[in-house]
Amino acid sequence: PRRMLCLCRRCPLCMVYVPWNYHEPQPGVYDFTGDRDVEAFLDLAAELGLLVILRPGPYICAEWDMGGLPAWLLWKADIILRSSDPAYLAAVDAWLHVLLPKIKPRLYQHGGNIISVQVENEYGSYYACDPSYLQHLLGTFRALLGPEVLLFTTDGAQVEELRCGTLQGLYATVDFGPDSNVTEAFGAQRHIEPRGPLVNSEYYTGWLDYWGGPHASTSATLVARGLADMLQLGANVNMYMFHGGTNFAYWSGADFKGQYKPVTTSYDYDAPLSEAGDPTEKLFAIRTVISKFQPLPVGPMPPPAPKYAYGWVTLHKVNACLEACAVLPGLAHGFMLYRTQLPRDILAPAMLSAPPHSICDRGYVMLQKEYQGTLERDGQTELHVKGKAGDTLDVLLENMGRISFGANFNDFKGLLGNLSLDSRPLSKWLIYPLAIDAAIQQGWPHAALPKSSCRGRAGPAFYTGTFETPGIAWDTFVKFPGWSKGQLWINGFNLGRYWPHEGPQQTLFVPGSILRVGCPNNITVLELEGAPLNPFLLFLDQPLFNRTLSHSPLDKK
Ligand SMILES: CCCC/N=C1\SC[C@@H]2[C@H](O)[C@H](O)[C@@H](O)CN12
């Protein structure tokens, strides 16, 4: 281990997760194409002279949907995740038998750039504490990767976490941030590993954001000081995160701390390199510390990738969402439509209510296509409605991301209990999985639907627009002045959820790689609660991470 890790002190390296659910959308159906081409990613890292520490899980946490585990594991409702439950282990082994043969030829021992592989992730923080599960993983990793590669675990730097998270045959490492005492933290590691390198596998340079909370902000000075303390001890450090990221589409996870807390689309993490890859003050503070321990690369720092403010883009409302949605059958990730009819005349407002834990996670309620309001998990679960017998009651149900940490992460989605009207349960529901992404990737609704006349009406609706770039396709950030909450696609690429009313992020990052030059870029927005009368988007050349809704002109149009 010392040779390996001291090597990494001489060579730049990247530590990277492999999210199982990103590659196996259905049991036995694997996807390693495009952004999912793990081998191309590893080969590119090798071309760039980067060594790799790989973290294939199978559980990875990372505020990623269900911590990287595929939701279809929950088809067995009583499955015990991250344990030696035979149903869980069978799925894990099938997956590892597909992934690890792609990794083995790229191991350092075989002339590749992968110097070590992490098994599981902070297992010591999980209630199951099942050593036969870790033993099974060790056996599978060894069988598929061979006897030489360094296998390790990572756990919080507390002895009680290391107790369940470590195993003979897996080198124990710890993770902690700048607010921890370095000596105490490594003391916990030494409790398990009396010899071998001191390793902080996740030195927290920032932190994650939840919708409705503040954007994380960790002092550059504090981060730099903690790094200096560790390097002074001769420790090995991986910074988490060194480069911020984005939870595109529906990939963001959630936490459960007494109540459900969904994570934002942006995973900027207040990292030294931002979500868009731009250097920050924190990067230079870290660089200064490292220069005290080893020579820095010669030459100037690479400049940030160019950004461009494409400006205002007008959108047009197309037919209200639900008229269109019911024709989108297929595999749903983000949205389901639940439809029934009022069983009787409701001439005076009646209470439509949801039982506890039944709305997972937000339900947009329409009666005769008129928006009535939003039911939300651990929030508002009652609405007043009135109408006639036979009126159509629709609930568009949104998945806001599966819990990715802790014991409650068998996180089922949908309308999990029956709604009632004045305490009398409703029945005869029709359920539509909405394969919106597949339809949008095939050009819907740009060509398919006429512009709608009913501007500004509240409730779920699709909006479309196009814009051309001035001959370049640079990164940009899109702002939603006056919009409420929804989902954005450009050229069929799902850029994630926006929720300016909730914040903290007010813009979505748009990588230049998904933009087109010389032909229109198609924008599709699914607004869930209410768009502005003049539906514009504003493309900026900088992000707005931490801004409550102000009354600046940018927010009011
Ligand atoms: C006190 C920390 C407990 C949870 N661990 C976290 S929160 C942010 C990071 C990422 O989730 C990362 O994937 C975890 O390994 C460690 N960590």
Side-chain angles (χ1 to χ4, degrees):
R2 185 174 293 282
R3 178 179 61 76
M4 294 289 184
L5 290 159
C6 79
L7 252 181
C8 79
R9 283 224 293 273
R10 285 281 169 269
C11 307
L13 61 80
C14 75
M15 184 183 260
V16 61
Y17 280 125
V18 183
W20 175 9
N21 53 10
Y22 199 53
H23 297 282
E24 190 175 357
Q26 294 295 308
V29 177
Y30 300 101
D31 185 352
F32 290 98
T33 61
D35 288 348
R36 293 169 169 81
D37 190 339
V38 175
E39 293 168 288
F41 174 85
L42 292 169
D43 295 345
L44 177 62
E47 272 172 50
L48 296 170
L50 286 172
L51 295 174
V52 171
I53 296 176
L54 197 74
R55 306 167 94 191
Y59 165 82
I60 64 168
C61 192
E63 286 67 60
W64 186 263
D65 188 62
M66 208 162 141
L69 298 185
W72 46 259
L73 289 169
L74 301 179
W75 293 351
K76 184 177 187 295
D78 62 349
I79 196 167
I80 302 175
L81 300 172
R82 302 178 73 190
S83 79
S84 45
D85 178 329
Y88 172 72
L89 286 186
V92 165
D93 280 351
W95 161 238
L96 293 179
H97 277 76
V98 169
L99 175 69
L100 295 187
K102 298 176 183 288
I103 304 306
K104 184 172 184 179
R106 293 172 171 82
L107 294 176
Y108 192 79
Q109 295 83 356
H110 298 286
N113 60 335
I114 300 173
I115 59 170
S116 60
V117 176
Q118 180 180 295
V119 175
E120 247 281 355
N121 195 86
E122 292 193 319
Y123 190 60
S125 309
Y126 190 59
Y127 77 94
C129 192
D130 180 348
S132 49
Y133 166 51
L134 283 186
Q135 196 62 55
H136 181 94
L137 289 181
L138 173 56
T140 303
F141 274 67
R142 277 290 171 228
L144 293 169
L145 294 178
E148 297 172 311
V149 62
L150 172 63
L151 299 177
F152 70 99
T153 56
T154 297
D155 280 286
Q158 289 81 32
V159 172
E160 63 276 6
E161 293 197 31
L162 288 157
R163 181 176 60 82
C164 283
T166 60
L167 186 76
Q168 190 65 33
L170 295 171
Y171 191 75
T173 76
V174 289
D175 58 28
F176 58 90
D179 51 355
S180 294
N181 176 297
V182 168
T183 307
E184 286 172 15
F186 284 130
Q189 184 195 2
R190 276 282 176 255
H191 194 76
I192 307 289
E193 300 290 355
R195 286 180 302 284
L198 296 175
V199 182
N200 181 345
S201 287
E202 292 189 29
Y203 179 52
Y204 300 133
T205 59
W207 202 247
L208 55 117
D209 291 348
Y210 299 108
W211 289 114
H215 176 49
S217 173
T218 305
S219 144
T221 306
L222 206 59
V223 169
R225 188 181 307 144
L227 177 63
D229 292 347
M230 288 186 281
L231 296 183
Q232 200 62 46
L233 286 176
N236 298 271
V237 183
N238 174 70
M239 289 174 247
Y240 188 102
M241 300 282 286
F242 186 71
H243 187 315
T246 311
N247 296 307
F248 291 122
Y250 312 106
W251 290 114
S252 52
D255 212 339
F256 187 85
K257 292 179 176 169
Q259 69 171 47
Y260 173 73
K261 297 185 71 174
V263 168
T264 56
T265 301
S266 172
Y267 202 70
D268 176 76
Y269 216 82
D270 189 30
L273 283 176
S274 71
E275 174 179 15
D278 294 332
T280 65
E281 173 218 346
K282 196 172 284 177
L283 178 76
F284 292 98
I286 286 167
R287 193 169 187 267
T288 303
V289 168
I290 292 175
S291 68
K292 296 184 170 57
F293 293 87
Q294 66 181 47
L296 293 177
V298 178
M301 290 267 281
K307 308 288 183 289
Y308 196 86
Y310 299 102
W312 293 98
V313 178
T314 305
L315 299 194
H316 303 283
K317 187 173 188 175
V318 292
N319 263 359
C321 168
L322 303 180
E323 284 151 17
C325 281
V327 295
L328 296 177
L331 187 65
H333 294 281
F335 298 91
M336 301 279 282
L337 178 65
Y338 294 77
R339 175 167 285 174
T340 188
Q341 274 68 41
L342 293 188
R344 56 189 180 280
D345 285 349
I346 307 286
L347 304 180
M351 182 72 82
L352 176 72
S353 57
H357 317 304
S358 64
I359 300 285
C360 293
D361 304 305
R362 294 174 64 79
Y364 305 93
V365 178
M366 274 70 60
L367 188 59
Q368 292 295 94
K369 295 186 178 45
E370 286 296 324
Y371 177 59
Q372 307 296 308
T374 301
L375 300 172
E376 50 185 337
R377 178 175 183 172
D378 298 338
Q380 171 175 313
T381 55
E382 294 178 334
L383 283 174
H384 280 100
V385 296
K386 67 177 186 178
K388 297 188 305 309
D391 281 355
T392 297
L393 179 70
D394 284 320
V395 182
L396 179 64
L397 216 295
E398 180 183 20
N399 159 18
M400 282 294 292
R402 288 178 185 81
I403 292 168
S404 39
F405 181 79
N408 313 59
F409 88 127
N410 293 40
D411 190 5
F412 296 90
K413 296 298 183 186
L415 186 56
L416 306 184
N418 208 342
L419 301 186
S420 57
L421 208 48
D422 273 355
S423 306
R424 292 161 65 180
L426 293 166
S427 58
K428 301 191 179 75
W429 290 95
L430 292 176
I431 303 176
Y432 299 92
L434 302 182
I436 297 174
D437 289 80
I440 288 175
Q441 280 151 18
Q442 289 149 30
W444 184 90
H446 277 258
L449 292 170
K451 290 184 176 44
S452 166
S453 53
C454 43
R455 286 159 32 111
R457 192 172 71 181
F462 282 98
Y463 291 76
T464 61
T466 62
F467 72 100
E468 301 234 6
T469 72
I472 44 105
W474 290 353
D475 296 354
T476 187
F477 305 88
V478 58
K479 191 173 188 320
F480 300 80
W483 299 77
S484 303
K485 183 183 190 305
Q487 203 85 20
L488 169 68
W489 294 262
I490 298 181
N491 299 328
F493 185 92
N494 187 332
L495 287 147
R497 303 178 182 98
Y498 64 87
W499 198 357
H501 273 200
E502 199 71 6
Q505 70 179 100
Q506 296 295 313
T507 55
L508 285 189
F509 173 53
V510 181
S513 56
I514 64 129
L515 299 180
R516 297 173 185 149
V517 177
C519 60
N521 289 282
N522 286 340
I523 298 173
T524 308
V525 169
L526 169 55
E527 168 58 47
L528 294 160
E529 292 187 337
L533 271 178
N534 296 312
F536 287 94
L537 298 185
L538 176 58
F539 287 79
L540 303 169
D541 58 3
Q542 56 183 313
L544 297 172
F545 284 129
N546 195 19
R547 190 157 136 190
T548 51
L549 209 58
S550 67
H551 297 290
S552 81
L554 287 185
D555 287 322
K556 297 307 289 174
K557 282 187 174 60

